[in-house]
Amino acid sequence: MMTPSPGKLTVATLAALSSAAALAAAPAMQKGAPMNTPVLEHYTQGTLDGVWKRPGLSMRDRSIVTVAVLVARNQAAGLPHYLNLALDSGVKPAELDEIVAHLAFYSGWGNAVAADQAIAGVYAQRKIKTTDAGAQAARLKLDEAAERQRATMVSNNFGAVSPGVVEYTTDALFRDLWLRPGLAPRDRSLVTVSALVASGQVAQVTFHLNRAMDNGLTREEAGEALTQLAFYAGWPNVFSAMPVFKEVFASRPQKD
């Protein structure tokens, strides 16, 4: 099979390539008509394309991070290309469904609904139909001791401020959403950390980055996720988050 030249590569073509070839040649943005701003086109086709080819984070993970950023920042217009790229990189439709539902809680319902509309178009083009197979599925095993500790801390600190938030944090998030089997805990954590950085919510990063690394995200992957985030969430958000990442890394064993 002949490999198309990078300049003519389309998202559809990626599906026919091996994962290694896709990683080496995947476009950061669709290449077709020239951009209206040549300077942006220069950095998109040069610098940004290079980011997608960096080692340290798989094409699948880069797609997950990028989709999470676009949903969190309510940039649904840019989603179709990256949803297609995610699907071609091994993210399953059911996993995309879980990502959007997860981000409804972490980035707001309006952002998730906008993303749902973008997904509808992509699924229609690809003739994909999904259902909530996890609705009645057995939930993942819960670390009861850790959850009791978390719930007690939150209740003691904020129970008098907003009982409703405390209730839903326990019942809807940590005893349901986080235990859904349709998205691996490591990937769910990667989505959450990406959304927090993209939204500038650095105060929440310490807990969720530690959770991500407990769930299997490595130090190298976390650091490379920041590189991806710099381009899609902006340098200021990443530089605000980097001291928190540094502290978390320093507090954990070097094997992470």
Side-chain angles (χ1 to χ4, degrees):
M1 178 180 67
M2 292 183 62
T3 301
S5 63
K8 296 181 180 179
L9 190 63
T10 65
V11 170
T13 309
L14 284 172
L17 299 175
S18 68
S19 58
L23 180 59
M29 293 290 289
Q30 290 169 314
K31 295 182 176 68
M35 288 184 165
N36 294 316
T37 51
V39 178
L40 180 60
E41 184 173 28
H42 163 74
Y43 283 113
T44 298
Q45 296 188 4
T47 307
L48 186 58
D49 270 3
V51 171
W52 281 84
K53 299 171 187 175
R54 285 174 57 87
L57 201 63
S58 70
M59 187 76 170
R60 181 181 184 278
D61 285 346
R62 289 189 189 279
S63 296
I64 287 174
V65 168
T66 306
V67 168
V69 170
L70 295 178
V71 176
R73 293 168 68 87
N74 200 18
Q75 295 173 341
L79 268 173
H81 169 69
Y82 289 104
L83 290 168
N84 275 302
L85 191 55
L87 289 164
D88 291 335
S89 300
V91 181
K92 298 175 183 177
E95 292 174 323
L96 285 176
D97 291 358
E98 290 285 346
I99 288 170
V100 171
H102 188 86
L103 289 172
F105 291 88
Y106 282 90
S107 298
W109 234 258
N111 289 5
V113 170
D116 178 76
Q117 295 303 307
I119 280 183
V122 171
Y123 283 6
Q125 286 182 333
R126 299 175 74 120
K127 296 180 171 55
I128 293 172
K129 293 183 179 180
T130 60
T131 60
D132 185 6
Q136 304 301 324
R139 294 301 187 248
L140 301 177
K141 184 177 179 180
L142 177 67
D143 184 335
E144 291 285 356
E147 172 55 19
R148 277 196 301 272
Q149 183 179 21
R150 184 211 60 78
T152 299
M153 180 197 65
V154 171
S155 180
N156 289 343
N157 285 332
F158 305 115
V161 177
S162 179
V165 171
V166 172
E167 176 186 346
Y168 284 115
T169 299
T170 295
D171 296 343
L173 269 67
F174 287 100
R175 289 189 173 271
D176 185 33
L177 181 70
W178 277 92
L179 302 180
R180 288 178 61 92
L183 191 64
R186 180 255 190 205
D187 294 346
R188 201 174 286 278
S189 286
L190 180 60
V191 167
T192 308
V193 171
S194 298
L196 293 175
V197 174
S199 304
Q201 303 294 330
V202 295
Q204 305 298 315
V205 169
T206 298
F207 173 82
H208 283 288
L209 180 57
N210 271 301
R211 188 181 181 94
M213 297 179 78
D214 289 343
N215 286 334
L217 189 72
T218 68
R219 188 176 306 222
E220 180 185 17
E221 290 169 338
E224 191 59 31
L226 283 174
T227 304
Q228 187 81 4
L229 284 161
F231 284 84
Y232 288 92
W235 253 250
N237 282 328
V238 165
F239 264 91
S240 294
M242 282 207 291
V244 180
F245 275 62
K246 182 179 179 180
E247 290 176 4
V248 170
F249 290 172
S251 71
R252 299 180 65 90
Q254 286 296 320
K255 65 180 179 64
D256 285 336

